[in-house]
Amino acid sequence: MSQSVDRALSILPLLAEGPADLGHVAGHLDVHKSTALRLLRTLRDHGLVYRQDDQCYRLGSRLFALAQGAMEQLDVREIAHPHLVALNDWIGHTVHLAVHEEGEVIYIDKIESRYPVRMYSRIGRPVAITVAAVAKLLLADLPEAERTALAEKLDYPMYTPRSTPDAATFLKELATVREQGWAADLGGHQETINCIGAPIRGADGRVIAAMSVSAPAAVLPQRELLGLLPLLRAAAEAVGLDCAGGTHPQKEERHTP
């Protein structure tokens, strides 16, 4: 770890004890005030510290948001699992749970279909990010600039004739997902498999995970799969409610079908 990073990180436990002025921070780090000020400004630029009117520094709100997000991701699989099991018991088809980590969307839980014809997927493996319903939900929730930058650097393999062909089409689809509040992969990854997904929102209304239901078209026609959307969305909302500690997640006003 570089000396500057080490020093900057050392400031955070200090401020966790309470606000501190520049001199106190410099003394704690055993550096000149100009060095401490440079480190504090960097942390402030990232929202990790905040300078009060009295010129003392305290922990910033961004740090608390990051901590909350980390806790939600650690807990979401455990919280969601019984909901996935219950949904699978009710409908009989494959149910997935996925999160967005380090530029990839990864399945973190899966309940298999009770039918002999199943979708191939594995927990811990990345999904086909340009076509998977869970990926569209997680990426659609990103800020617009981040969404655009990510879409423009992705590859767009044509798994089937229904796969997303390019960044412009992908961004248009993400905009639709944002508006309607759910996503679908209708033969985009495997021609014989259809999938629908719903977002799981944390206490701040942001999408922290996504649930999906997948089924072979031969077992469940597309129209019948789409008919399961209310059940899937209700299950995802229940997971979000549990993740938020029993308080309804605040979400942006969006149109629903």
Side-chain angles (χ1 to χ4, degrees), residues 4 6 28 38 46 75 109 130 139 148 169 191 199 202 234 254 257:
S4 293
D6 184 63
H28 176 76
R38 186 183 73 251
H46 289 276
D75 294 342
D109 204 356
T130 59
L139 301 187
T148 301
T169 305
E191 284 190 272
R254 304 188 185 194

Side-chain angles (χ1 to χ4, degrees), residues 34-105:
S34 62
T35 300
L37 182 60
R38 186 183 73 251
L39 295 171
L40 285 164
R41 282 175 173 168
T42 299
L43 292 172
R44 187 184 63 184
D45 289 344
H46 289 276
L48 301 180
V49 304
Y50 176 79
R51 190 175 68 177
Q52 303 176 159
D53 291 340
D54 62 2
Q55 306 306 306
C56 285
Y57 293 83
R58 62 170 173 79
L59 294 179
S61 59
R62 175 63 175 160
L63 189 62
F64 296 107
L66 290 171
Q68 178 183 329
M71 288 302 297
E72 286 173 338
Q73 290 218 4
L74 286 173
D75 294 342
V76 68
R77 184 180 187 276
E78 181 179 355
I79 291 171
H81 186 75
H83 294 279
L84 269 65
V85 171
L87 182 61
N88 174 266
D89 285 345
W90 185 257
I91 65 176
H93 301 290
T94 302
V95 181
H96 285 105
L97 178 70
V99 295
H100 184 208
E101 289 184 351
E102 298 181 357
E104 293 183 324
V105 175

Side-chain angles (χ1 to χ4, degrees), residues 130 133 135-144 147-148 151 156 164 166-184 201 252-256:
T130 59
K136 295 171 189 175
L137 288 159
L138 290 158
L139 301 187
D141 196 60
L142 295 174
E144 184 177 2
R147 216 163 56 229
T148 301
Y156 292 87
T164 306
D166 52 46
T169 305
F170 191 49
L171 287 169
K172 186 175 180 180
E173 187 163 4
L174 294 185
T176 299
V177 169
R178 256 181 100 82
E179 179 72 14
Q180 68 189 11
W182 58 275
R201 298 182 182 276
E252 300 172 24
E253 184 177 339
R254 304 188 185 194
H255 298 291
T256 56

Side-chain angles (χ1 to χ4, degrees), residues 224-247:
E224 292 182 25
L225 176 66
L226 292 173
L228 296 177
L229 263 173
L231 289 173
L232 173 61
R233 298 181 77 178
E237 185 174 349
V239 176
L241 183 61
D242 286 352
C243 287
T247 58

Side-chain angles (χ1 to χ4, degrees), residues 111-164:
I111 311 297
E112 286 281 11
S113 168
R114 70 168 69 111
Y115 298 94
V117 182
R118 297 176 175 178
M119 172 186 175
Y120 175 76
S121 59
R122 290 176 59 186
I123 296 173
R125 295 291 298 274
V127 309
I129 199 167
T130 59
V131 293
V134 288
K136 295 171 189 175
L137 288 159
L138 290 158
L139 301 187
D141 196 60
L142 295 174
E144 184 177 2
E146 190 174 344
R147 216 163 56 229
T148 301
L150 177 60
E152 290 177 348
K153 71 179 183 181
L154 289 174
D155 294 325
Y156 292 87
M158 294 300 292
Y159 303 103
T160 80
R162 296 182 182 179
S163 299
T164 306

